[in-house]
């Protein structure tokens, strides 16, 4: 085959974003997958977004990725989570048609110029000296490339567990990938094992929905992509809430000796925040019920996903336990849940570009780095694809800092702290979550994407225009004064004290009971000052209101981030001999020597490097 600029191995969420990014940046790109019908397959729950994950999808979209666009096209339910809390916690989530999600992703990829496909399994990365130069496939095809990105998901030596039954595979009924783990270990990479799981799929025709609590989508709808809103094409579907009970727990407990998690068959670590139902029953023995969510798999299908009931117990035990749940007394299943073990590589062996430290021109992205979740994988794939393209162009790498994006937090955590369990993003992992809101991802990232060549000019101009209009309206509000007779009726209706004299409109909007839409409906003078396009732009009105109501918090976090940037500017020399700086703790010497941080700030975030160790480094540097 001809030589490629970038070769991407695996067409899951990470691989799809990586291939799209590289090709859109002008690289001749090849995407290799074992099955062309499973592009960006939703292996587990049929949804995108959620707490912190929704922020990541919006960041991907702001940088010119496709996850948000495909999610919107295949959405059957959109909800904004955590609306009762402040905007830093708001997280969009969309239920999707699982089959159409994959179809739409493939359609997007096939329409990208310069992106080729090859259906096969990669068994070896070709190495010359300390560089990756291509791949060899199971069919014996050798393909050369300048940059190689591995996004193998759960397929590396995948092993599926259902009770005492074991089967080799990367997903149910799909073969595992072999050869790469052994090769990487021979090259010096640290290889580990992790475990994840998925619940049974249920037949909706056998469920009594009248006994369940219906959960509809938000009345006002919504979307992930910042591009112009389009009319929703797919039919809306509801989710449902249901609960386990003591009888369900009793059925599960009786079969724990048949659970691979408890009889010693599985030794690898599973996701802490998405445990199996048998693990929850044992860990939270004092709980007499656990909340579950019944989620439709598509627009018209009768197949449902039982979120919260992941299990590796025998199929009959799973079925018996489910039939003790209210509403599922007569339930039939399409297939049982299962656990899967797979290989991953210690992510501390990577640079922040996701290029490996051991082999140049080789990148890892997705679950191969010890993460869990479509969104985390897609973000890594996007960044690996961008950096591979930039390296081919001999341009500076693209790295996002912790105060710039959740993607920056994700990659920084992986590279500097490593993982001892499948990594999942949460808002609590971000120190500056007031800055990293879902509503302003375009403001934070689109210009950066435009400068490196992945964001198109049309998208960039839309963002510039949007925030110019925001600033124009903010300036008007800052200078406009309201008199009591204009607004007291509204204030009384909202249950807040009336005005006695003229005040600035901004001060009125600082009251929690009053929002900008109230003002626009109440005061014609203000509405007339703001053009109709702005008034009807829900996204822009929200951006204006957040800037006013939360300005103090936002400015405080900016100040904190600026202080930290001083440490980011203190570079560490590449040739520092950490093992001979005896004032450092033993653990700090070992980890600094192995990970070679680029700055003082990076060193401070490495697990096991204490503030005292940072002081020693500053003294060593003459500061």
């Amino acid at each position: 085959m001809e030589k490629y600029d970038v070769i991407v191995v695996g067409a899951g969420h990470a691989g799809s974003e990586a291939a799209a990014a590289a090709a859109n940046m002008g690289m001749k790109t090849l995407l290799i997958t074992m099955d062309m019908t499973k592009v960006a397959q939703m292996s587990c729950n049929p949804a995108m977004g959620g707490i912190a994950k929704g922020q990541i999808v919006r960041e991907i979209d702001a940088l010119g990725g496709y996850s948000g666009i495909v999610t919107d096209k295949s959405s059957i339910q959109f909800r904004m989570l955590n609306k009762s809390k402040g905007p830093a916690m708001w997280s969009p989530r969309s239920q999707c048609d699982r089959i159409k999600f994959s179809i739409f992703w493939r359609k997007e990829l096939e329409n990208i110029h310069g992106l080729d496909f090859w259906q096969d399994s990669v068994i070896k990365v070709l190495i010359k000296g300390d560089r990756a130069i291509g791949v060899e496939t199971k069919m014996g095809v050798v393909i050369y490339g300048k940059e190689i990105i591995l996004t193998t998901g759960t397929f590396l030596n995948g092993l599926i567990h259902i009770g005492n039954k074991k089967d080799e595979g990367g997903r149910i009924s799909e073969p595992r990938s072999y050869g790469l783990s052994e090769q990487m270990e021979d090259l010096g990479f640290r290889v580990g094992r992790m475990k994840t799981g998925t619940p049974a799929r249920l037949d909706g025709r056998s469920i009594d929905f009248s006994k369940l609590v219906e959960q509809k989508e938000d009345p006002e709808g919504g979307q992930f992509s910042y591009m112009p809103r389009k009319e929703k094409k797919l039919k809306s579907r509801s989710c449902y809430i249901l609960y386990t009970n003591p009888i369900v727990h009793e059925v599960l407990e009786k079969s724990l000796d048949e659970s691979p998690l408890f009889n010693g068959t599985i030794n690898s670590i599973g996701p802490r925040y998405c445990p199996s139902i048998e693990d929850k029953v044992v860990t939270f023995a004092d709980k007499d019920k656990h909340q579950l969510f019944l989620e439709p798999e598509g627009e018209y299908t009768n197949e449902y996903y039982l979120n919260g009931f992941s299990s590796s117990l025998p199929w009959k035990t799973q079925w018996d336990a489910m039939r003790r749940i209210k509403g599922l007394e007569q339930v039939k299943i399409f297939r049982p849940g299962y656990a899967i073990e797979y290989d991953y590589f210690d992510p501390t062996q990577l640079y922040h570009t996701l290029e490996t430290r051991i082999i140049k021109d080789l990148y890892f992205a997705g679950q191969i780095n010890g993460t869990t979740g479509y969104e985390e994988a897609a973000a890594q794939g996007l960044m690996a694809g961008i950096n591979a393209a930039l390296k081919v162009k001999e341009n500076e790498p693209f790295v996002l800092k912790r105060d710039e994006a959740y993607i920056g937090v994700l990659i920084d955590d992986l590279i500097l702290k490593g993982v001892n369990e499948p990594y999942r993003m949460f808002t609590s992992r971000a120190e500056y979550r007031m800055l990293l809101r879902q509503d302003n991802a375009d403001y934070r990232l689109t210009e950066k994407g435009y400068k490196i060549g992945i964001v198109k000019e049309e998208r960039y101009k839309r963002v510039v225009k949007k925030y110019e209009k925001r600033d124009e309206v903010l300036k008007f509000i800052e200078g406009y004064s309201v008199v009591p007779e204009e607004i007291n009726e509204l204030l009384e209706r909202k249950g807040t004290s009336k005005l006695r004299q003229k005040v600035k409109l901004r001060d009125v909007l600082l009251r929690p009971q009053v929002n900008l839409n109230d003002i626009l409906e109440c005061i014609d003078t203000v509405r007339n000052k703001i053009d109709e396009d702005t008034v009807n732009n829900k996204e822009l009105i929200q951006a204006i209101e957040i800037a006013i109501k939360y300005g103090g918090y936002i400015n405080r976090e900016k100040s904190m981030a600026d202080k930290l940037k001083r440490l980011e500017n203190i570079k560490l020399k590449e040739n520092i001999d950490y093992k001979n700086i005896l004032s450092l703790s033993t653990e700090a010497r070992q980890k600094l020597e192995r990970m070679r941080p680029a700055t003082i700030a990076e060193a401070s975030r490495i697990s096991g490097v204490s503030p005292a160790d940072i002081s020693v480094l500053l003294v060593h540097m003459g500061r």
Side-chain angles (χ1 to χ4, degrees), residues 470-486:
R470 182 201 66 171
D471 293 343
E472 178 187 319
V473 175
L474 281 172
K475 186 177 180 181
F476 163 71
I477 289 174
E478 292 277 355
Y480 186 84
S481 297
V482 290
V483 295
E485 51 267 28
E486 280 184 300

Side-chain angles (χ1 to χ4, degrees), residues 423-434:
Y423 181 99
R424 178 178 179 176
M425 179 53 70
F426 286 103
T427 50
S428 59
R429 294 192 190 273
E431 306 93 313
Y432 308 111
R433 51 186 175 272
M434 196 66 223

Side-chain angles (χ1 to χ4, degrees), residues 420-543:
N420 53 17
E421 60 186 43
Y423 181 99
R424 178 178 179 176
M425 179 53 70
F426 286 103
T427 50
S428 59
R429 294 192 190 273
E431 306 93 313
Y432 308 111
R433 51 186 175 272
M434 196 66 223
L435 303 181
L436 310 183
R437 306 184 310 277
Q438 58 82 31
D439 65 276
N440 71 345
D442 57 344
Y443 179 71
R444 292 184 276 119
L445 301 175
T446 297
E447 184 177 3
K448 296 178 186 295
Y450 178 68
K451 286 180 177 178
I452 60 173
I454 189 171
V455 170
K456 293 182 173 61
E457 187 172 12
E458 177 196 356
R459 178 187 279 259
Y460 173 61
K461 284 182 176 178
R462 280 180 55 85
V463 172
V464 171
K465 185 178 178 182
K466 171 184 171 181
Y467 286 97
E468 282 179 348
K469 174 56 74 173
R470 182 201 66 171
D471 293 343
E472 178 187 319
V473 175
L474 281 172
K475 186 177 180 181
F476 163 71
I477 289 174
E478 292 277 355
Y480 186 84
S481 297
V482 290
V483 295
E485 51 267 28
E486 280 184 300
I487 202 169
N488 276 347
E489 184 182 337
L490 169 67
L491 298 180
E492 187 174 20
R493 193 168 69 246
K494 289 290 181 176
T496 181
S497 57
K498 294 192 282 187
L499 299 184
R500 296 185 178 182
Q501 60 188 24
K502 183 189 291 188
V503 300
K504 293 293 184 184
L505 178 56
R506 178 184 178 277
D507 294 334
V508 176
L509 281 168
L510 286 173
R511 298 186 183 191
Q513 301 91 342
V514 181
N515 61 49
L516 186 52
N517 280 322
D518 294 329
I519 299 295
L520 294 175
E521 290 174 12
C522 168
I523 306 177
D524 290 338
T525 313
V526 177
R527 186 182 180 95
N528 294 337
K529 292 275 188 181
I530 302 175
D531 62 72
E532 202 63 26
D533 287 343
T534 303
V535 171
N536 293 325
N537 188 331
K538 176 186 168 187
E539 197 176 274
L540 183 53
I541 291 293
Q542 186 183 81

Side-chain angles (χ1 to χ4, degrees), residues 50-65:
I51 307 302
K53 292 169 175 280
Q55 282 87 329
I56 289 176
V57 177
R58 288 213 128 192
E59 290 176 352
I60 292 169
D61 182 75
L63 282 168

Side-chain angles (χ1 to χ4, degrees), residues 189-206:
F189 288 95
R190 293 184 294 280
V191 183
R193 293 284 277 177
M194 280 189 175
K195 167 259 172 190
T196 189
T198 192
R201 304 305 194 268
L202 313 186
D203 186 343
R205 296 168 298 180
S206 62

